[in-house]
């Protein structure tokens, strides 16, 4: 059997390292063709020594002792375009992942996509690049992997609606006045998943679920009216699909990203893998569900409104959120400022026109500058 080549962008992150654990178990099926990271040179060097990819890229590359490494943001697209990379696992955080996604699907490759921000920012462009180049996006995000698995081979016209589950984050049961004063360390205590800092804050504001609603819209073509969100604190049911006959199918599993990563690599096949402990329904009990507190976590509603508005509004939503989260992590704005920055940005810039890559990148940059100016 020919081994499939996999490039991992963002290999030093939470999803990237989960992906390498999966690939290390299946050397007969996959080989690593490229590894990229932003700045963690020691871990990248360790990974490169173990997996021996042809391309190693460090975006922030100044002077390292590794002359053969590539540097700058171009290394992401180079690793994505390399002919021996059949699958590109995009585990970069943020809008920085867009060009690599476009490059890979434009060349007919599979992108195993964790980097939801690139799809939110430019969903129509990514879809167009898939059509033109023959590439495909297979989600790594657990909720979207669940939807893909639940829908199976049935046409989307047989789906009435999907229900994305949300853990509710660390502040699920906090009162509103306490939320306003939540600290960075409070917000980084995610109850069920160990993830990078940006998505962990997004889970606390529920901006992550807004990104995921838009992601579901672009991945599967469901209208916003067909996508709902329910809080499920245990993160065991990864999402529900209700079909037109009223029957509901859910996908379950322990919260471990190695499961959706492996499925994104092998879809529609499944292969033997025992790296993740077997599911025990009794150990996972009880499974509970709650309504979302939409008024107390306005980022969710703001993101869905931006999705409905279309055009550059999702890119503005995403950029305002990325910039506000960065300022929050630096201790320069409060937790409550994150949704306020998003709302103000959408009011000011949500109608920016243009659907090209350049227009969306310009909307992204203008929004970041706008948010920085708000809190200068
Ligand atoms: P992380 O912060 O742990 O890792 C991010 C990776 O991207 C690192 O390897 C980092 O070096 C690289 N990176 C950061 N900035 C970059 C830039 N400007 N250019 C190039 N590379 C850059 O993040 P994560 O938790 O692994 O999340 C990665 C993506 O996966 C995000 O889009 C996130 O929303 C999504 N995701 C994560 C999880 C999870 O369990 N961690 C689950 C679902 C989706
Ligand atoms: Mg998710």
């Amino acid at each position: 059997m020919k081994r499939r080549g996999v490039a991992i962008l963002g290999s030093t992150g939470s999803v990237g390292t989960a992906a390498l654990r999966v690939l290390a178990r299946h050397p007969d099926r996959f080989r690593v063709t490229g590894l990229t990271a932003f700045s963690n040179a020691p871990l990248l060097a360790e990974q490169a020594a173990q997996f021996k990819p042809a391309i190693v890229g460090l975006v922030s590359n100044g002077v390292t002792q590794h002359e053969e490494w590539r540097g700058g943001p171009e290394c992401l697209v180079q690793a994505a375009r390399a002919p021996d990379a059949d699958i590109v696992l995009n585990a970069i955080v943020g809008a920085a992942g867009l060009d690599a996604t476009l490059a890979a699907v434009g060349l007919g490759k599979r992108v195993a996509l964790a980097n939801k921000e690139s799809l939110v920012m430019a969903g129509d462009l990514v879809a167009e690049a898939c059509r033109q180049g023959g590439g495909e996006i297979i989600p790594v995000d657990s909720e979207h992997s669940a939807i893909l698995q639940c829908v199976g081979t049935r046409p989307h016209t047989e789906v009435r609606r999907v229900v994305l589950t949300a853990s509710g984050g660390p502040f699920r049961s906090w009162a509103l006045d306490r939320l306003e004063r939540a600290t960075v360390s409070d917000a980084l205590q995610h109850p069920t998943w160990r993830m990078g800092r940006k998505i962990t804050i997004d889970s606390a504001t529920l901006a992550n679920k807004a990104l995921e609603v838009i992601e579901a819209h672009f991945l599967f073509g469901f209208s916003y009216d067909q996508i709902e969100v329910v809080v499920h604190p245990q993160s065991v049911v990864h999402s529900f699909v209700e079909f037109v006959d009223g029957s509901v199918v859910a996908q379950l599993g322990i919260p471990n990203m190695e499961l959706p990563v492996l499925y994104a690599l092998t879809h529609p096949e499944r292969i033997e893998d025992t790296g993740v402990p077997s599911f025990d329904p009794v150990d996972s009990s009880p499974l509970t569900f709650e309504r979302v507190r939409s008024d107390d976590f306005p980022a969710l509603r703001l993101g869905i409104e931006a999705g409905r508005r279309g055009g550059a509004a999702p890119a503005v939503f995403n950029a305002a959120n990325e910039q506000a989260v960065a300022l929050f992590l630096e201790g320069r704005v409060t937790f409550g400022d994150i949704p306020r920055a998003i709302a103000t940005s959408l009011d000011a810039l949500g109608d920016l026109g243009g659907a090209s890559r350049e227009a969306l990148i310009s909307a992204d940059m203008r929004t970041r500058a706008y948010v920085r100016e708000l809190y200068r």
Side-chain angles (χ1 to χ4, degrees), residues 143-144 147 162-166 208-216 220 227-232 237-240 292:
E143 295 77 1
H144 306 75
I147 292 169
V162 298
V163 184
L164 303 178
T165 52
N208 182 53
K209 217 43 62 175
L211 295 170
E212 292 187 354
V213 168
I214 302 172
E215 181 185 9
F220 304 109
I227 308 171
E228 292 176 25
V229 175
V230 70
V231 171
H232 168 46
V237 174
H238 296 311
S239 280
F240 300 94
V292 184

Side-chain angles (χ1 to χ4, degrees), residues 68-84:
E68 69 288 7
W69 286 11
R70 301 171 189 227
E74 344 36 289
C75 73
L76 307 172
V77 172
Q78 290 164 0
R81 295 181 72 104
D84 58 349

